[in-house]
Amino acid sequence: MLNFATRLALSPLLLAQGLSVRANAVRLPEAAGPRTGRLGSGPKLSLLILGDSSAAGVGVDHQNDALAGQLAVLLANHFTLDWQLVAKTGATTRTALQWLETHPPAPIDIVVTALGVNDVTHAVPYPLWLRQQNRMFARINTLFAPRRVYVSGVPPLGDFPILPQPLRWSLGTQARRFDAGLARLTEMSARLSHIPFNSPLVPSQMAQDGFHPGPEIYTLWAKEMASRILSDWPLDLET
């Protein structure tokens, strides 16, 4: 309640700071390169990455250096991998749901999601966001029947260099709340795995806009995701 009351009292300043950040922020493009492909050898594995600008690779020039490209290469060392990326700058959980509502059913082994930052910055109410995430997971299960969904944690917006105080504190507090709720939500299903952002956020590792990941962060993210997938996959084959 104290955080809510404080944010309410600061709301005129927070709004002004948010508008200023949006007006002055460096606009970086999504990473170039293919968003679907097949590579590797061995047992077949299919992968869908669904998300926002971070999933789209904003902050690096090419998908080879972004999450999708690096994760695909790591998994291709063990599988014949069919992968696809569906991501867009500005995407929220609601817009991801809209895409899923029009997608035809198709079997996919693994789904990776990366959503939440835009929900926080757009002030989506926390209970509504959790309901949307729950609906999204249900829709993913209906469409793709994946063996596992890996849910990327909400990044620590309180550490983003571009954000001034007290906006940084406000968004950081809400991001932590969203991520904690996401972790609890994923505990409700054995097919959902929450992958928190555990590495210290070093400003020099971020993109020049001070908001998106740089190459090093994408590498850490891909390695952590690949490690979780590879450790889980033999268990999944037995179920």
Side-chain angles (χ1 to χ4, degrees):
M1 289 299 295
L2 179 61
N3 284 339
F4 174 78
T6 304
R7 285 199 301 271
L8 185 62
L10 292 172
S11 57
L13 175 57
L14 298 175
L15 177 60
Q17 288 185 330
L19 292 173
S20 177
V21 169
R22 288 183 185 276
N24 296 299
V26 175
R27 300 292 195 273
L28 297 177
E30 297 178 357
R35 296 198 172 198
T36 184
R38 171 179 289 182
L39 67 164
S41 60
K44 290 184 178 180
L45 183 72
S46 52
L47 166 71
L48 167 67
I49 300 173
L50 175 65
D52 55 23
S53 56
S54 63
V58 173
V60 294
D61 293 332
H62 198 276
Q63 292 295 341
N64 289 345
D65 299 315
L67 171 67
Q70 296 197 58
L71 179 57
V73 168
L74 290 169
L75 294 178
N77 290 327
H78 305 270
F79 302 99
T80 298
L81 180 72
D82 286 295
W83 66 274
Q84 59 178 309
L85 169 66
V86 177
K88 186 175 179 61
T89 297
T92 62
T93 306
R94 181 178 65 83
T95 57
L97 267 169
Q98 290 173 344
W99 177 80
L100 290 168
E101 289 298 332
T102 62
H103 195 282
I108 296 176
D109 296 313
I110 290 174
V111 177
V112 172
T113 65
L115 294 158
V117 169
N118 294 316
D119 297 271
V120 172
T121 60
H122 286 73
V124 175
Y126 172 72
L128 173 60
W129 182 71
L130 286 182
R131 291 196 298 271
Q132 290 174 337
Q133 285 278 316
N134 202 37
R135 285 175 53 204
M136 181 180 70
F137 295 142
R139 182 63 179 167
I140 286 172
N141 187 59
T142 298
L143 283 178
F144 309 125
R147 291 179 177 269
R148 192 72 60 99
V149 179
Y150 293 88
V151 184
S152 301
V154 181
L157 272 74
D159 294 335
F160 282 22
I162 192 176
L163 301 175
Q165 296 289 10
L167 181 62
R168 184 185 297 192
W169 163 82
S170 177
L171 294 179
T173 299
Q174 193 70 338
R176 288 194 299 273
R177 186 186 184 201
F178 273 44
D179 193 50
L182 193 59
R184 290 191 294 270
L185 186 62
T186 59
E187 291 174 354
M188 298 172 62
S189 171
R191 297 299 187 186
L192 298 175
S193 295
H194 176 247
I195 313 298
F197 193 102
N198 284 331
S199 301
L201 186 57
V202 180
S204 62
Q205 294 179 333
M206 298 191 70
Q208 68 181 84
D209 64 356
F211 193 84
H212 288 94
E216 292 179 69
I217 295 176
Y218 278 121
T219 296
L220 292 171
W221 187 6
K223 286 182 176 179
E224 176 63 21
M225 196 65 71
S227 175
R228 291 292 299 270
I229 292 171
L230 292 172
S231 65
D232 290 340
W233 192 251
L235 298 177
D236 286 347
L237 290 176
E238 299 172 2
T239 61

